[in-house]
Amino acid sequence: MTQSTVTSSTHGTTGGYQQPVVHHGQYLTPAQAISRLPKDATPAQQDSAVQAHAKFSEIHWSQEPDTLHMPGHGKGKSVKDIHIPQYYRESFFSNDTLFHPELPGGRQGVAGDPIPYSIANDNLITSLLLGCFVIAQLTMARTRAFIIRQAKSFYYSTHEQTNKLTETSDEVWFQLFMVLQTCLLLAILYIYYVRDRIGETFIIEQYQMVGMFTSFFAIYFLIRSTLYELTGWVFFSKKKILQWQKSSLFLTSAEGVLLFPAVMLLAFFNTTMESVMVYVLFIVILVKILSFYKLYVIFFKRKGIFLQIFLYFCALEIVPLFVIGGLLLIINNYLKVNF
């Protein structure tokens, strides 16, 4: 049995160290090469010895596709191949409707905190408020005399000999526009209150909620006016009914004007919801007090029927408020997403 030997010669030196010569194609491992060096060999000498004895072969990278199969197994098979066994196609998630491996998943980077909703960041609502403000200012400039006349005649009972309306068409359309603005402002205030106190997740979009609640308050004012018309037609004269219609329309218009600062403070000045709700409650109570006074002046100023004014007012003003409050709660329960 012939054993290959490694002998030393003066073929090359590195720092006083004579590199050994390899015979018969034998190569030493780095540990074996370093072990044959003197104990005081420098790192440079150790590196030279390792390079002289090590054999560096070319690296051949695998051309097989990356699969989840066990090491040593063959190339993975495609699930589209009809000849593969059934167990290749089935998995634990095969029947799951949410399992879609063909869709990319995950996100790039870290998700940030979403910006909370604000009317100031909503271009559509801001445009509506700006449009209402501009139209109201232009219309009020044209109907200033009518507004002053209505405000002066509000606190005493007029003795009209005619049943025809004394307002012009522009003045009537101005009041109808202000009533519509009142409905829009009430809808925005209510939606803002719901988002702040109840939640922000609903089954419909923000703009759909604004349109729905605006229509809701418009229907409320229409039904209330119809009820006043029916009860007045039964118990009072047509002249008194006409006087009340004018006063009610003027009060609703004034309510929208007084509610506009509340929406602006809430949207653009970060006013607290508690302060805004106190202001809105004050405006609503003030309008109801003025309505009570005007009902008394028009219908119940005679002596002996003072109790009837409370019944009339509660039936047509207070009870509808509780009714629409209950309806709004029911609508919220249907629209809110309950987890």
Side-chain angles (χ1 to χ4, degrees):
M1 182 174 182
T2 305
Q3 181 179 5
S4 301
T5 59
V6 179
T7 60
S8 300
S9 66
T10 59
H11 182 69
T13 59
T14 303
Y17 164 68
Q18 296 180 350
Q19 296 183 356
V21 179
V22 180
H23 297 282
H24 305 291
Q26 181 182 1
Y27 295 93
L28 301 177
T29 64
Q32 292 174 347
I34 293 176
S35 65
R36 298 190 180 192
L37 297 177
K39 294 184 178 181
D40 58 348
T42 62
Q45 294 173 343
Q46 294 177 359
D47 183 68
S48 299
V50 170
Q51 293 184 19
H53 295 85
K55 178 183 179 182
F56 301 97
S57 60
E58 183 180 356
I59 299 176
H60 298 281
W61 300 104
S62 175
Q63 300 299 324
E64 297 292 331
D66 187 15
T67 65
L68 297 178
H69 292 273
M70 295 295 293
H73 288 255
K75 179 181 178 181
K77 300 181 182 297
S78 174
V79 294
K80 299 180 181 179
D81 188 0
I82 61 174
H83 299 291
I84 63 175
Q86 186 68 19
Y87 59 83
Y88 271 95
R89 307 175 193 171
E90 295 181 350
S91 66
F92 181 78
F93 301 99
S94 296
N95 297 324
D96 193 345
T97 57
L98 302 178
F99 180 61
H100 294 282
E102 72 278 3
L103 300 178
R107 60 166 62 93
Q108 298 293 333
V110 180
D113 296 331
I115 300 177
Y117 175 81
S118 175
I119 298 179
N121 299 327
D122 195 324
N123 295 331
L124 180 60
I125 304 300
T126 304
S127 301
L128 284 176
L129 294 177
L130 182 61
C132 290
F133 176 77
V134 173
I135 295 175
Q137 291 298 319
L138 294 176
T139 311
M140 290 176 65
R142 297 182 58 183
T143 58
R144 182 179 303 175
F146 163 74
I147 296 174
I148 296 175
R149 185 174 69 252
Q150 285 287 91
K152 289 182 177 180
S153 63
F154 184 81
Y155 294 100
Y156 62 89
S157 178
T158 58
H159 301 281
E160 300 179 359
Q161 301 299 327
T162 177
N163 292 333
K164 296 181 180 180
L165 290 173
T166 58
E167 293 86 350
T168 63
S169 60
D170 291 340
E171 294 168 350
V172 174
W173 282 111
F174 162 70
Q175 293 183 91
L176 293 178
F177 169 76
M178 296 304 297
V179 171
L180 182 60
Q181 177 178 306
T182 303
C183 299
L184 176 62
L185 297 178
L186 288 174
I188 293 176
L189 288 171
Y190 180 73
I191 292 173
Y192 222 103
Y193 174 80
V194 169
R195 295 178 67 94
D196 183 75
R197 297 304 176 88
I198 299 178
E200 299 184 357
T201 54
F202 297 92
I203 61 176
I204 61 177
E205 297 181 355
Q206 178 77 16
Y207 305 138
Q208 294 176 343
M209 292 183 61
V210 172
M212 184 186 67
F213 285 114
T214 301
S215 302
F216 177 84
F217 285 110
I219 294 173
Y220 159 70
F221 286 120
L222 182 61
I223 293 177
R224 190 187 67 173
S225 177
T226 304
L227 292 177
Y228 272 113
E229 181 75 18
L230 293 176
T231 55
W233 176 73
V234 174
F235 298 103
F236 306 105
S237 64
K238 190 175 182 179
K239 184 182 71 173
K240 292 182 179 296
I241 297 173
L242 189 59
Q243 294 178 13
W244 168 246
Q245 287 178 347
K246 295 179 182 179
S247 301
S248 178
L249 193 60
F250 178 75
L251 280 175
T252 307
S253 303
E255 186 177 6
V257 174
L258 296 176
L259 288 177
F260 193 82
V263 178
M264 301 299 291
L265 290 174
L266 190 62
F268 302 103
F269 296 95
N270 296 325
T271 309
T272 60
M273 181 59 65
E274 290 77 8
S275 302
V276 173
M277 287 298 103
V278 170
Y279 175 79
V280 172
L281 186 62
F282 172 76
I283 296 301
V284 173
I285 293 176
L286 177 62
V287 171
K288 295 304 177 185
I289 292 176
L290 293 177
S291 300
F292 180 84
Y293 166 78
K294 200 61 180 178
L295 285 172
Y296 172 74
V297 170
I298 295 176
F299 298 114
F300 300 96
K301 199 172 182 180
R302 293 178 299 171
K303 296 181 180 180
I305 56 173
F306 186 75
L307 181 61
Q308 283 81 347
I309 178 63
F310 290 99
L311 299 177
Y312 192 78
F313 179 78
C314 292
L316 298 178
E317 290 287 344
I318 303 302
V319 173
L321 284 181
F322 289 100
V323 172
I324 64 171
L327 291 177
L328 289 174
L329 292 177
I330 294 174
I331 294 174
N332 285 333
N333 291 333
Y334 277 104
L335 297 181
K336 187 176 182 297
V337 177
N338 298 313
F339 295 98

